[in-house]
Amino acid sequence: MDKHIYLDNSATTKPCEECIKAIEFCLKENWGNPSSSYTLGIDALETIEKSRHFIASFIGAKDDEIFFTSCGTEANNLAIKGTAHKCRKRGNKIISTTIEHPSVLNTLKQLETEGFDVVLLSPDENGKIRIDDLEKEIDKNTILVSVMLVNNELGTIQPIHKIKNIIKEKSSPALIHCDAVQGFGKLPIKISSLGVDLLSASGHKIHASKGIGFLYKSKSVNINPIIDGGGQEFGIRSGTECVPLIAGFSAAVNALPPIEDALEKQKKLYLYLKDKLQKTGRIVFNSPDDSLPYILNISVEGFKSEPMMNALSAKGIFLSKGSACAKGQRSYVLKEIGLSNDRIDSALRISMSRDNTFEEIDCLCENIISITDKMRRFKG
Ligand code: PLP
């Protein structure tokens, strides 16, 4: 095989040409400090503001509601710590779920040491938040509910608008934060219909580069900064702005195909993948039927993840057994949805992008069959 097959797009994506060009242009021609008052600086500032405007329009936000960060992790930290520290006089309860990304869970752990009351809700067997549990927990003391849009291991899509409705019905002052790192650019996100106060996204999941993300923060909401300094990004995120990566992020967003069309196309590839895998007779699906069609979590029964991944990698097929951050630990997400250790230990995450093809899926399935045949023979 002269070309590899990349199926780990939830870990990161290949930067698109448009992004690379925008970054290169800024590094070569537009490298001024956006805070400088001469033309070189003004040009850099203009690039940031154009990018901000483009991304804001993309999600139906105002320009001054977008704050560039270094990644999704930083956006999550800023949203959660920033809200907690700003609102601590109003209450100290924060509600989230047990299957959030570590950038949320570890931030919450830190806040617990500062005296915040953190309640983590267990999801149902599909990885969905149990709305009844949320309803019971929300009270006048709750300052924040943080729930991801799409789970990075399962592809489960959370009913964010329902969460918003519960908060409203209970007349709670709680803000709602959504970690949309795995959903941004894949699901149609409009702030007005999603109804969130804060939303995090990351460039490298949508064919931009690593090192750039943003936090959407509604104008009606105040949070504390977590980095103090020169007051860039409207005083919310100090530090000289990374103009090349901001321009690259905006260029990658601009290069996204229309979201609904891409989703339709992706659904076909996803159903084809599921059908082909099912026909191997060796797979169980861990993702729910209505998951985001870019992520499929499976278990190859009787075969551990690591040797399967390595054998596939030797054939030029790259995928993972779950979150790239987990580094060898058993998946807490799969544990939380009630899977057995055997099933968790044989899990693989296939995460696709617009670049994947039907031929690549054929190749993956053929290789799963041949590798499991070989391993069976070897086991005797
Ligand atoms: N949130 C989710 C759901 C993710 O999947 C990830 C990364 O995998 C992050 C947050 C962190 O994003 P970043 O890698 O940009 O820090």
Side-chain angles (χ1 to χ4, degrees):
M1 196 190 309
D2 55 353
K3 183 180 157 284
H4 63 249
I5 296 178
Y6 185 69
L7 292 165
D8 200 14
N9 289 279
S10 288
T12 198
T13 53
K14 184 180 175 192
C16 63
E17 280 307 317
E18 291 84 347
C19 166
I20 295 169
K21 265 192 202 145
I23 292 175
E24 193 183 10
F25 177 78
C26 286
L27 288 173
K28 283 186 176 162
E29 314 281 345
N30 189 12
W31 45 264
N33 185 323
S35 295
S36 301
S37 54
Y38 40 82
T39 45
L40 200 59
I42 294 167
D43 288 349
L45 182 64
E46 216 170 81
T47 298
I48 295 179
E49 293 319 320
K50 270 191 191 152
S51 303
R52 195 190 309 282
H53 178 68
F54 189 79
I55 289 175
S57 317
F58 186 72
I59 60 167
K62 299 181 189 80
D63 293 7
D64 55 357
E65 292 179 320
I66 300 295
F67 305 85
F68 289 111
T69 62
S70 65
C71 55
T73 296
E74 189 194 329
N76 283 342
N77 269 260
L78 176 57
I80 297 169
K81 287 180 186 156
T83 303
H85 294 153
K86 184 76 190 176
C87 302
R88 77 180 341 151
K89 283 200 189 108
R90 242 186 354 177
N92 80 333
K93 186 169 176 178
I94 302 173
I95 303 173
S96 188
T97 82
T98 52
I99 60 166
E100 298 299 311
H101 187 265
S103 56
V104 168
L105 291 177
N106 289 332
T107 299
L108 293 173
K109 238 185 229 169
Q110 169 58 30
L111 288 175
E112 246 175 343
T113 68
E114 296 175 27
F116 287 93
D117 174 20
V118 173
V119 175
L120 298 180
L121 303 174
S122 286
D124 67 14
E125 67 282 4
N126 290 317
K128 284 224 168 105
I129 186 169
R130 296 173 201 267
I131 292 292
D132 291 353
D133 289 355
L134 177 68
E135 198 167 0
K136 277 182 220 139
E137 284 294 346
I138 287 185
D139 57 21
K140 296 257 177 323
N141 197 32
T142 310
I143 51 172
L144 182 67
V145 176
S146 178
V147 176
M148 69 206 320
L149 182 59
V150 174
N151 182 270
N152 48 309
E153 290 193 43
L154 290 166
T156 303
I157 304 170
Q158 298 291 8
I160 302 296
H161 57 282
K162 276 195 194 160
I163 297 172
K164 182 73 192 174
N165 289 345
I166 298 287
I167 293 174
K168 242 193 209 162
E169 276 167 29
K170 302 271 283 192
S171 307
S172 164
L175 301 182
I176 174 161
H177 165 244
C178 180
D179 170 358
V181 166
Q182 294 289 349
F184 176 74
K186 294 176 192 132
L187 285 173
I189 295 177
K190 288 291 171 215
I191 290 298
S192 55
S193 48
L194 206 56
V196 296
D197 301 293
L198 300 142
L199 178 137
S200 312
S202 176
H204 73 108
K205 312 292 185 181
I206 61 132
H207 306 277
S209 75
K210 283 165 260 314
I212 187 72
F214 74 80
L215 176 69
Y216 156 83
K217 179 186 76 65
S218 161
K219 261 179 98 74
S220 60
V221 160
N222 290 316
I223 63 172
N224 282 0
I226 54 171
I227 299 176
D228 297 308
Q232 290 91 341
E233 294 298 286
F234 313 105
I236 290 294
R237 201 277 186 178
S238 285
T240 304
E241 301 89 335
C242 187
V243 186
L245 301 194
I246 290 172
F249 194 1
S250 160
V253 174
N254 196 18
L256 287 169
I259 303 284
E260 297 284 6
D261 295 354
L263 253 183
E264 271 314 302
K265 191 170 160 238
Q266 184 56 34
K267 260 182 212 159
K268 288 187 187 130
L269 192 66
Y270 185 78
L271 291 176
Y272 182 78
L273 167 67
K274 281 186 86 171
D275 186 51
K276 275 246 153 183
L277 286 171
Q278 189 113 53
K279 283 183 180 145
T280 66
R282 299 159 201 217
I283 304 290
V284 280
F285 298 124
N286 301 326
S287 293
D289 286 340
D290 60 351
S291 74
L292 184 77
Y294 289 89
I295 301 176
L296 183 64
N297 196 305
I298 62 170
S299 289
V300 189
E301 285 181 304
F303 297 91
K304 293 249 187 287
S305 318
E306 206 79 38
M308 271 306 293
M309 269 168 50
N310 293 340
L312 286 166
S313 167
K315 298 279 181 189
I317 302 173
F318 304 147
L319 43 68
S320 72
K321 57 180 183 167
S323 167
C325 309
K327 290 193 193 100
Q329 285 159 10
R330 194 170 270 155
S331 162
Y332 62 86
V333 172
L334 299 186
K335 187 107 197 126
E336 275 296 310
I337 62 165
L339 300 192
S340 66
N341 284 345
D342 277 349
R343 199 155 145 187
I344 298 172
D345 292 343
S346 63
L348 296 175
R349 178 184 68 179
I350 302 162
S351 55
M352 293 167 276
S353 79
R354 61 180 186 238
D355 295 334
N356 292 119
T357 63
F358 289 91
E359 291 73 31
E360 289 180 333
I361 299 303
D362 287 343
C363 188
L364 168 71
C365 295
E366 281 155 22
N367 273 286
I368 288 178
I369 292 171
S370 64
I371 291 165
T372 48
D373 278 349
K374 213 183 209 173
M375 284 178 170
R376 261 190 205 137
R377 278 203 300 276
F378 189 69
K379 275 182 189 169

